[in-house]
Amino acid sequence: MYTELDDLLNQNTTIDAWYDDGFLIARAMLNDFSENDWNMLKTNIFNKDLEWQKKLAYSISNKIIIDELDILLELLKIRNDELTEICIDSLKLYCNPKFENIIKNNPNVLEILHDKNNFQSTFLRLLLENLCKS
């Protein structure tokens, strides 16, 4: 299933087509991921271009499982404001007792929050600071 998702994310589509249909197809594929598929995704995520990564981040918060959370937190290593914003938006769904401490203590989250010299916008740091506050 990983190969099919990779092919889908690599397709050159219009933004409208992706947000109308593409991400729903990607979510359906992610629902069928095996442990091996998740491992392949984790292994290859940094070898993909930024558009691929943004499409994945937008699609991934589907089942609210640790594999999805791991991917979103890994994507925060990539210093791109748009990708970070998509990840933060997806991470909102993981603000529950099961995952909240994982998010708040993740080194990638902490780095963005505490490194005022990185190019992450102040707005994104504020989003992260308030992510799991009730």
Side-chain angles (χ1 to χ4, degrees):
M1 189 56 60
Y2 167 79
T3 303
E4 290 86 353
L5 178 69
D6 184 41
D7 290 343
L8 176 68
L9 296 176
N10 276 317
Q11 288 180 7
N12 190 11
T13 60
T14 65
I15 291 180
D16 287 341
W18 178 254
Y19 290 107
D20 288 344
D21 299 316
F23 87 96
L24 294 172
I25 297 167
R27 281 187 176 178
M29 289 177 177
L30 288 163
N31 276 337
D32 294 332
F33 259 34
S34 66
E35 184 177 337
N36 186 52
D37 292 320
W38 285 111
N39 289 334
M40 288 178 67
L41 183 60
K42 290 173 188 174
T43 300
N44 293 301
I45 196 167
F46 295 109
N47 299 329
K48 304 299 179 178
D49 67 32
L50 185 59
E51 289 307 310
W52 188 100
Q53 294 164 337
K54 288 190 283 189
K55 288 177 182 177
L56 177 64
Y58 186 82
S59 304
I60 203 160
S61 57
N62 194 32
K63 293 172 80 176
I64 315 302
I65 58 174
I66 192 70
D67 292 309
E68 294 175 345
L69 178 60
D70 288 343
I71 295 294
L72 289 169
L73 292 172
E74 283 298 302
L75 286 170
L76 289 176
K77 288 180 180 176
I78 299 165
R79 295 296 185 239
N80 175 274
D81 283 357
E82 186 178 359
L83 176 60
T84 300
E85 187 173 353
I86 294 168
C87 289
I88 292 169
D89 192 51
S90 294
L91 283 169
K92 290 176 189 174
L93 298 172
Y94 297 87
C95 288
N96 61 53
K98 182 177 179 181
F99 296 123
E100 188 172 344
N101 282 333
I102 294 171
I103 295 169
K104 287 182 176 181
N105 295 312
N106 179 270
N108 302 327
V109 170
L110 294 172
E111 182 178 344
I112 292 169
L113 289 175
H114 299 295
D115 182 2
K116 305 298 186 202
N117 296 320
N118 72 27
F119 71 89
Q120 298 293 324
S121 72
T122 302
F123 172 71
L124 292 177
R125 278 196 296 275
L126 287 172
L127 281 179
L128 264 178
E129 287 172 359
N130 295 299
L131 181 63
C132 290
K133 292 184 179 174
S134 311

